[in-house]
């Protein structure tokens, strides 16, 4: 594939569709939404409003980090505090698809619906990639950013049109486009991060307290494995508990699963062979999180597993 030609085609298409209208997009610090942001700003300039929706589901320090990276590229990013809305929508839900649905509805109907009304935007630029579409259509998993492909008409339901310039690419293609667009390595060298964020890494109910645990575990895993060159690494909080001992007392504690995978395009993945020393270090740090007394390393490839847990 000729990625330079691909970029030119997307530029022409977005320019023609949006014209002098206003478009809006959200970044989550991941590569897909970052590529769309840079592409969109090159084409639309001030006609594109970029927001970072703080859903309470983000990684540690992420909102500030993303705003800073984009400020260096002279792309203003507005922080939108929607924490209460997301936590409210997720309250009491344990079924994976119901949780994904709650994130989707809060994001697209509530938060974006409001932003679109406030800004007069008619278009949403979206970082959907081919793998998201394929897995959703195949019924494997409803990726939260898939709308039209499963029969949701965003214009009718939410009041804006969705443009998806990356929808024919997989992860490896997005990387190529990111390189050509000159995105900084803080973004291109970053591992993938899912749209529904830490909600995909909590089995069972998503609460503020459980988010705090998985956020801390994620920070540890990302720091420890940043030089691993693996495709993706993450921490998951299980819905089970296990007996352990802390300060000579019995503790019925939380269980964290660590995953570290090699993959090219996220369609298949294999676990990486981490050194025993590294695994022990991760285990020690994770079990020092308050209330966590077990740390497991997941050896399951995709398939039969998926990368995330919900
Ligand atoms: P799974 O868990 O389906 O993940 O094997 C494949 C890749 O996609 C990411 N992922 C998502 N990305 N919206 C996204 O934008 C989603 O709903 C979503 N679910 C999973 C996951 O992190 C992995 O890289």
């Amino acid at each position: 594939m000729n990625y330079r030609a691909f970029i030119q085609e997307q530029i022409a298409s977005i320019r023609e569709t949006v014209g002098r209208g206003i478009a809006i997009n959200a970044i989550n610090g991941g590569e897909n939404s970052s590529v769309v942001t840079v592409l969109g700003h090159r084409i639309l300039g001030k006609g594109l409003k970029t927001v970072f929706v703080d859903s309470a589901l983000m990684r540690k320090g992420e909102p500030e980090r993303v705003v800073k990276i984009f400020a260096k590229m002279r792309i203003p990013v507005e922080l939108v505090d929607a924490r209460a809305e997301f936590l409210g929508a997720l309250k009491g839900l344990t079924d994976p698809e119901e949780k994904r649905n709650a994130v989707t509805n809060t994001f697209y109907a509530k938060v974006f619906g409001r932003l679109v009304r406030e800004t007069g935007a008619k278009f949403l630029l979206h970082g959907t990639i081919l793998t998201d579409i394929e897995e959703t259509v195949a019924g494997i998993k409803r990726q939260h950013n898939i709308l039209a492909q499963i029969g949701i008409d965003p214009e009718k339901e939410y009041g804006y049109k969705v443009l998806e310039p990356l929808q024919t690419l997989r992860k490896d293609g997005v990387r190529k486009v990111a390189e050509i667009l000159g995105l900084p390595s803080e973004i291109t060298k970053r591992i993938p991060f899912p749209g529904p964020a830490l909600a995909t890494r909590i089995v069972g109910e998503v609460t503020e307290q459980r988010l705090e645990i998985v956020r801390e575990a994620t920070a540890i895993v990302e720091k420890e494995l940043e030089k691993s060159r693996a495709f993706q690494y993450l921490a998951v909080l299980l819905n089970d508990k296990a007996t352990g001992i802390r300060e000579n007392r019995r503790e019925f504690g939380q269980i964290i699963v660590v995953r570290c995978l090699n993959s090219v395009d996220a369609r298949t993945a294999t676990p990486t062979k981490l050194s025993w020393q590294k695994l022990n270090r991760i285990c020690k740090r994770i079990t020092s999180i308050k209330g966590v007394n077990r740390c497991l390393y997941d050896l399951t490839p995709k398939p039969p597993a998926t990368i995330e847990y919900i």
Side-chain angles (χ1 to χ4, degrees):
M1 178 153 175
N2 179 342
Y3 289 100
R4 287 187 191 274
F6 170 86
I7 292 172
Q8 289 313 317
E9 278 162 30
Q10 297 312 316
I11 289 178
S13 155
I14 294 175
R15 198 167 270 151
E16 191 186 325
T17 313
V18 179
R20 292 184 171 274
I22 297 170
I24 186 165
N25 87 309
I27 41 171
N28 68 355
E31 196 174 20
N32 305 352
S33 63
S34 296
V35 167
V36 167
T37 304
V38 173
L39 195 63
H41 274 270
R42 295 249 171 111
I43 308 165
L44 305 169
K46 289 202 166 76
L48 178 65
K49 183 180 166 62
T50 299
V51 296
F52 181 103
V53 177
D54 185 351
S55 57
L57 311 172
M58 306 315 296
R59 284 173 285 184
K60 208 171 171 178
E62 194 69 6
E64 300 76 18
R65 189 185 156 273
V66 171
V67 170
K68 221 161 112 191
I69 293 175
F70 280 86
K72 277 194 234 154
M73 291 188 274
R74 295 175 195 277
I75 295 179
V77 176
E78 191 188 315
L79 267 182
V80 175
D81 181 1
R83 287 175 295 180
E85 276 163 301
F86 279 89
L87 289 170
L90 285 161
K91 198 171 170 28
L93 302 184
T94 52
D95 177 78
E97 292 296 290
E98 282 180 17
K99 280 155 72 180
R100 282 178 171 268
N101 265 330
V103 173
T104 304
N105 288 337
T106 309
F107 206 81
Y108 295 103
K110 276 195 161 172
V111 178
F112 264 113
R114 187 174 62 235
L115 288 171
V116 160
R117 282 193 300 278
E118 283 169 11
T119 59
K122 296 266 183 299
F123 303 93
L124 171 69
L125 279 187
H126 217 198
T128 322
I129 64 170
L130 188 57
T131 321
D132 301 340
I133 299 171
E134 283 174 342
E135 296 203 337
T136 303
V137 173
I140 295 169
K141 197 181 278 194
R142 182 198 195 295
Q143 304 280 358
H144 101 293
N145 45 358
I146 301 301
L147 305 168
Q149 294 86 349
I150 54 165
I152 298 176
D153 177 351
E155 201 167 11
K156 211 162 98 201
E157 302 250 343
Y158 311 137
Y160 50 81
K161 272 203 169 84
V162 173
L163 308 179
E164 298 176 317
L166 310 180
Q167 63 167 304
T168 56
L169 303 182
R170 296 187 197 285
K171 202 74 212 171
D172 46 336
V174 178
R175 294 241 151 111
K176 300 250 167 56
V177 172
E179 273 166 32
I180 297 173
L181 289 176
L183 266 80
S185 59
E186 294 148 282
I187 292 169
T188 54
K189 294 274 180 306
R190 232 166 167 221
I191 52 172
F193 188 68
L198 297 177
T200 62
R201 298 176 182 175
I202 293 180
V203 185
E205 191 182 3
V206 176
T207 62
E208 241 175 316
Q209 199 192 13
R210 305 192 78 216
L211 276 164
E212 226 17 80
I213 295 174
V214 88
R215 195 173 352 257
E216 200 52 46
T218 303
I220 293 170
V221 169
E222 290 196 354
K223 186 77 200 141
E224 287 294 332
L225 297 176
E226 68 183 350
K227 295 202 173 80
S228 68
R229 300 170 79 185
F231 175 81
Q232 195 169 2
Y233 30 88
L234 49 123
V236 176
L237 175 64
L238 294 188
N239 202 20
D240 261 332
K241 284 186 166 185
T243 298
I245 315 158
R246 197 180 298 270
E247 285 153 13
N248 291 325
R249 302 184 78 155
R250 181 183 182 280
E251 177 192 62
F252 199 43
Q254 307 288 341
I255 310 170
I256 289 282
V257 173
V258 175
R259 215 150 156 54
C260 179
L261 299 145
N262 288 329
S263 176
V264 174
D265 55 16
R267 277 194 299 174
T268 59
T270 48
T272 61
K273 200 168 170 184
L274 295 176
S275 76
W276 196 244
Q277 192 187 11
K278 185 50 100 179
L279 286 169
N280 274 309
R281 202 181 137 78
I282 292 172
C283 177
K284 195 165 168 212
R285 289 191 64 189
I286 292 225
T287 49
S288 67
I289 300 171
K290 195 167 176 281
V292 178
N293 64 15
R294 303 260 168 158
C295 175
L296 318 177
Y297 186 53
D298 184 345
L299 294 179
T300 328
K302 173 182 179 176
T306 54
I307 292 177
E308 307 290 347
Y309 263 56
I310 75 151

